[in-house]
Amino acid sequence: MQVSKEIHKLCPSESVWQRSFHDRVVRNAAEYAKIQDYIETNPARWREDCFYTENG
């Protein structure tokens, strides 16, 4: 919280944090493997996403 206050003092109109972002603790190798698989295979599923457009 202190970091946010200091940044706001220096740049009151700037937002430096990503909205709705949540850290997650990876607790074991199986969970890590699942996350790694998601990251590696996600680009191949972009065209299936309802928000995907050819022009970005």
Side-chain angles (χ1 to χ4, degrees), residues 2-55:
Q2 188 62 35
V3 172
S4 295
K5 289 179 182 179
E6 294 299 320
I7 291 172
H8 187 69
K9 283 181 195 176
L10 295 171
C11 306
S13 63
E14 294 295 321
S15 177
V16 295
W17 306 117
Q18 181 178 345
R19 294 184 61 197
S20 302
F21 176 80
H22 302 281
D23 286 333
R24 174 154 175 81
V25 175
V26 178
R27 302 201 181 272
N28 57 48
E31 190 173 351
Y32 180 86
K34 184 177 177 181
I35 293 167
Q36 182 180 15
D37 179 65
Y38 173 82
I39 291 169
E40 289 177 352
T41 61
N42 190 45
R45 296 188 304 270
W46 285 350
R47 291 181 187 269
E48 300 166 15
D49 190 283
C50 67
F51 296 108
Y52 176 82
T53 63
E54 284 290 328
N55 299 335

